[in-house]
Amino acid sequence: MPQPSRPRKGSMGFSPRKRVTREVPQIRSWPDDDGSPALQGFAGYKAGMTHVVMVNDQANSSREGMEESVPVTVVETPPMRAVALRAYEDTAYGMKPLTEAWTGEFHEELDRTLSLPNENTFEDDAAEIREAVDDGRVADLRVITHTVPAALDNVPKKKPDVMETRVGGGSLSERADFALDLVEDGGEHEMSDVFRAGEYLDVAGVTKGKGTQGPVKRWGVQKRKGKHARQGWRRRIGNLGPWNPSRVRSTVPQQGQTGYHQRTELNKRLIDFGAGADASVDGGFVNYGEVDGPYALVKGSVPGPNKRLLRFRPAVRPNDQPRLDPEVRYVSTASNQG
């Protein structure tokens, strides 16, 4: 007998499912300010997956204190560079850029992405930002940062990826001083300056592109059964909708672009950092094949294929922060890159 009701197939929350315009994920919400001024984001390139054997430190878990094998994603995280500070003001149409201060020294590959300023006016622009902060015209501060993929042998490109990273913590005046000092000192910073091992973070990335796919793969609808399949096709939906309204509604599952969408996964645990393929971590031996620079281990899987850019931010909705015990983390590690 036909079922009178059934939950729809596929979430409409991600519609329209079309290709992203750029591979640098866009972050539109940031965590609340807490503690001293600091950057609230970092970026790296996915290298592959492996697994580690670690001690379960989740409170009230039935396996607390026991060893268990955990899948992790290896992310190459070479140092990033901050090249400018941008101040935003509140307007009737939302936050708009007010002014910005650019450094006078740039990475040799950055002109592949940006049109760099010809003159060094950092001192005057920094004074203008501080004056705007004192006058109460600044609503938020963002640092313009970029990656250095040319430092990685596994990422086949030299063009840096440029993004905005929010400065959080403290007052606006303290944030401005922190960011301007960072930009003036060359802007180089590492992932360990932003995050600590063991905490939760959010990972944003662009998923694997799969091209045009039918409704079965794209939306998860069932294939036709029995006599319905004898109509001549099995992987199509039964109809495009009722007589009225006399149009095809957007809720009807149809074929179209699948994959290459931005997705953000919440509450991914940062297991640990590393500094090379032959680094020793808490007595264990790490061997991740071709990864020979700084890397991070993130518990579980993350969006996108290998070599694609990933952005990290502190968790905006953390369920529970684990007990950070640097003495009890690893037992051993094993390689299973791919």
Side-chain angles (χ1 to χ4, degrees):
M1 295 181 59
Q3 297 183 3
S5 64
R6 174 185 291 176
R8 68 157 288 110
K9 302 296 183 180
S11 172
M12 296 297 297
F14 298 111
S15 295
R17 298 191 176 186
K18 59 182 182 181
R19 292 169 56 89
V20 296
T21 56
R22 56 192 301 231
E23 284 191 359
V24 179
Q26 305 298 299
I27 297 180
R28 297 181 176 85
S29 60
W30 300 91
D32 296 332
D33 302 326
D34 186 19
S36 59
L39 295 179
Q40 291 188 327
F42 201 81
Y45 294 89
K46 183 175 178 180
M49 291 195 70
T50 181
H51 66 277
V52 298
V53 179
M54 60 179 293
V55 176
N56 187 328
D57 60 351
Q58 183 177 358
N60 302 322
S61 172
S62 60
R63 295 183 53 82
E64 183 179 4
M66 301 175 64
E67 299 178 8
E68 56 185 14
S69 177
V70 176
V72 295
T73 300
V74 184
V75 183
E76 295 191 78
T77 56
M80 296 184 64
R81 301 202 175 191
V83 294
L85 174 62
R86 178 174 293 169
Y88 282 84
E89 64 176 342
D90 273 332
T91 68
Y93 302 97
M95 286 200 308
K96 300 294 182 181
L98 177 63
T99 184
E100 54 192 22
W102 286 78
T103 183
E105 299 179 1
F106 302 98
H107 191 270
E108 59 184 359
E109 303 290 349
L110 187 57
D111 57 356
R112 293 173 177 265
T113 306
L114 299 176
S115 297
L116 303 178
N118 297 323
E119 299 181 358
N120 184 4
T121 59
F122 178 79
E123 296 295 336
D124 297 337
D125 296 337
E128 183 180 356
I129 290 180
R130 288 192 172 98
E131 181 181 355
V133 170
D134 295 338
D135 295 341
R137 291 182 291 153
V138 176
D140 204 2
L141 293 171
R142 310 279 176 88
V143 173
I144 299 177
T145 61
H146 70 87
T147 60
V148 187
L152 301 175
D153 296 333
N154 301 325
V155 179
K157 71 174 183 179
K158 298 180 180 180
K159 182 177 179 180
D161 292 307
V162 182
M163 63 206 71
E164 280 190 3
T165 304
R166 184 175 184 267
V167 182
S171 63
L172 279 174
S173 178
E174 294 173 342
R175 290 187 228 167
D177 293 338
F178 166 81
L180 290 172
D181 291 342
L182 176 64
V183 174
E184 188 177 13
D185 293 340
E188 185 170 305
H189 57 284
E190 299 181 355
M191 190 170 182
S192 57
D193 299 330
V194 182
F195 301 102
R196 56 178 180 169
E199 70 174 333
Y200 286 106
L201 43 78
D202 299 337
V203 183
V206 177
T207 61
K208 293 181 180 179
K210 301 179 184 300
T212 301
Q213 300 294 334
V216 173
K217 183 179 179 67
R218 192 185 190 210
W219 295 100
V221 300
Q222 291 187 358
K223 294 186 293 185
R224 296 192 184 191
K225 306 289 193 302
K227 291 184 178 180
H228 300 283
R230 298 177 196 171
Q231 187 173 355
W233 48 81
R234 184 180 291 270
R235 301 178 65 89
R236 300 187 193 179
I237 58 176
N239 60 76
L240 294 176
W243 190 296
N244 286 310
S246 56
R247 57 183 174 82
V248 179
R249 290 177 291 186
S250 61
T251 57
V252 177
Q254 298 189 67
Q255 71 167 10
Q257 171 65 32
T258 306
Y260 207 69
H261 313 306
Q262 178 178 327
R263 295 292 181 261
T264 302
E265 294 195 5
L266 305 180
N267 296 332
K268 310 294 290 189
R269 191 176 182 188
L270 177 61
I271 300 297
D272 205 359
F273 302 103
D278 297 329
S280 177
V281 181
D282 291 348
F285 186 76
V286 181
N287 183 5
Y288 296 119
E290 299 179 355
V291 178
D292 55 0
Y295 63 85
L297 302 180
V298 180
K299 185 176 181 179
S301 61
V302 296
N306 295 348
K307 305 180 183 180
R308 183 155 292 174
L309 180 72
L310 298 171
R311 291 190 67 182
F312 305 96
R313 71 178 176 196
V316 296
R317 294 184 298 187
N319 293 329
D320 58 338
Q321 289 290 350
R323 297 173 300 170
L324 300 177
D325 187 357
E327 300 298 330
V328 183
R329 257 202 319 268
Y330 277 108
V331 175
S332 64
T333 60
S335 176
N336 185 22
Q337 186 174 352

